[in-house]
Amino acid sequence: MSERDLAIGAYAIFIIVSFFVSYKYGTFMIKKTGLFFTQVFIAVTINIALGMLALIGWFFYSLGVNEFLFLGGLFLGTALLVITEIVLLILLFVKRKRMLKIFNEVNHTN
C-alpha cells in the first residue's frame, strides 16, 4: 500500500467516524433532554463540521500531490458526507418515538 492509499483510507474512515460520533451524541442527548429537533440539528451540525474538517485536510494534503487525487478525494468526501447526513437523519427520525419514550420513562416515574 502506498501513502496515497493510506491517506484515502484515513480520510474515508474519519468521515465515517464523524457519523458515529454525531449519531451517538444525538441519541444520547435526545434520551437525556427530550428535545428532539434541537438535538438532531446539533448532531447534523457536528457531522457537517467534522466532514468539512476532513475535506479541508484533504485539500491541504492532496492539492500538492496530484490534481486527479484531489478531485477524486473531493468527490469521495462530498458523497460520503451527503450519504452520512441522510443516514443520520433517517436513523434519528426512525428511532424518535423510542428515544422519547425512554426520556419519558426515566423522567416521569413517581
Side-chain angles (χ1 to χ4, degrees):
M1 290 182 82
S2 70
E3 177 186 334
R4 293 176 186 159
D5 295 335
L6 293 174
I8 291 173
Y11 174 55
I13 288 171
F14 185 81
I15 293 174
I16 293 168
V17 167
S18 71
F19 161 75
F20 286 112
V21 166
S22 59
Y23 175 74
K24 272 313 234 185
Y25 172 83
T27 56
F28 177 76
M29 290 306 289
I30 291 168
K31 290 176 188 175
K32 185 174 173 98
T33 64
L35 301 171
F36 180 73
F37 289 107
T38 304
Q39 300 304 335
V40 167
F41 177 75
I42 294 171
V44 165
T45 304
I46 289 170
N47 195 23
I48 289 173
L50 291 174
M52 292 307 290
L53 264 167
L55 286 170
I56 290 168
W58 184 256
F59 175 78
F60 285 122
Y61 167 74
S62 66
L63 191 58
V65 176
N66 185 348
E67 52 276 343
F68 296 114
L69 182 67
F70 169 71
L71 289 175
L74 194 63
F75 290 137
L76 173 70
T78 304
L80 280 175
L81 187 58
V82 169
I83 290 169
T84 57
E85 285 296 326
I86 292 169
V87 170
L88 178 65
L89 287 170
I90 289 171
L91 283 175
L92 290 176
F93 274 96
V94 166
K95 296 185 176 194
R96 179 177 83 183
K97 286 184 181 181
R98 189 175 69 174
M99 290 184 289
L100 292 176
K101 182 180 176 186
I102 291 170
F103 169 75
N104 288 329
E105 289 173 355
V106 168
N107 293 320
H108 292 90
T109 57
N110 293 327

